[in-house]
Amino acid sequence: MQERVWFFNAEMTHSILFLPYKRKYVVTLQPFLIIGMMICKISNQSANPLPKYATRLSAGVDLYANLTDSMIVEPMQRVLVPTGYFLEIPEGYEAQVRPRSGLAIKHGITVLNSPGTIDADYRGEIKVILINLSDEPFEIKNGERIAQMVFARCERVEWQEVAEISDTERGTGGFGSSGK
């Protein structure tokens, strides 16, 4: 079997793929996107590893608890868990702190202000507000994965003040008005 052969146009926006098929080549034109890697500066003042993606296609990096002693979170109790991470997020981006699904379904532990936004100009330690929604105490140990962090581009808005806004089919219907 012959190998696949790729060619790219000069603007690197499309690729041409030659696929071997019955001793001939099938040609396909495909959009091509080069995804750049955002660089974020971090000062890790914990003994834990840097936040990392659990898998190659994970959207968020795991955040680890930075504790000297384990912490017991009682039912319906809120706690602020330090990570030991200090970030310099690039302008035009934010970091969003989100719950870990396994902690939520297995133990009722979630991020209270989900998603918690970390602005690009914040330079303090990243801390995670957790709440125990279960009826059992939960122990958080040093180095435990407590949340995930996703980076997103942020657009700034310039307001255009008007007397009225346009109407839509939905109108002012909210909170379940579009159906079950």
Side-chain angles (χ1 to χ4, degrees), residues 162-174:
V162 296
E164 293 182 10
I165 58 173
S166 64
D167 197 14
T168 65
E169 185 178 324
R170 182 177 183 171
T172 59

Side-chain angles (χ1 to χ4, degrees), residues 1-162:
M1 178 177 239
Q2 296 175 340
E3 293 182 21
R4 298 174 177 206
V5 180
W6 290 87
F7 292 94
F8 300 95
N9 66 335
E11 295 81 23
M12 295 295 283
T13 57
H14 286 79
S15 62
I16 302 170
L17 174 61
F18 292 88
L19 295 170
Y21 179 74
K22 294 185 180 178
R23 298 185 184 178
K24 296 181 182 176
Y25 281 107
V26 176
V27 179
T28 64
L29 182 64
Q30 301 176 350
F32 181 73
L33 176 64
I34 297 176
I35 300 175
M37 184 70 66
M38 181 190 81
I39 304 297
C40 184
K41 295 178 183 176
I42 184 169
S43 173
N44 183 1
Q45 297 181 19
S46 77
N48 296 316
L50 291 177
K52 61 184 173 185
Y53 296 98
T55 68
R56 187 177 69 82
L57 297 177
S58 293
V61 294
D62 289 326
L63 296 176
Y64 302 89
N66 182 38
L67 303 170
T68 52
D69 296 312
S70 64
M71 175 185 288
I72 302 295
V73 187
E74 298 294 337
M76 297 308 296
Q77 182 185 14
R78 299 178 304 267
V79 294
L80 190 60
V81 184
T83 65
Y85 303 131
F86 296 76
L87 304 180
E88 187 175 322
I89 300 169
E91 186 175 335
Y93 288 87
E94 67 162 328
Q96 298 175 359
V97 179
R98 301 179 181 184
R100 294 194 65 242
S101 60
L103 284 178
I105 191 66
K106 294 175 186 173
H107 305 286
I109 302 297
T110 191
V111 174
L112 187 57
N113 62 327
S114 182
T117 293
I118 303 169
D119 296 309
D121 59 350
Y122 176 68
R123 293 296 184 268
E125 180 181 9
I126 305 304
K127 296 181 181 180
V128 180
I129 305 169
L130 294 179
I131 187 168
N132 182 352
L133 298 177
S134 78
D135 54 3
E136 307 261 334
F138 181 78
E139 181 180 15
I140 301 172
K141 298 176 183 152
N142 182 53
E144 188 169 355
R145 296 181 298 162
I146 56 168
Q148 58 183 319
M149 185 168 56
V150 174
F151 292 88
R153 184 177 291 283
C154 295
E155 298 296 329
R156 304 235 355 136
V157 66
E158 184 175 317
W159 298 109
Q160 178 184 3
E161 194 169 357
V162 296

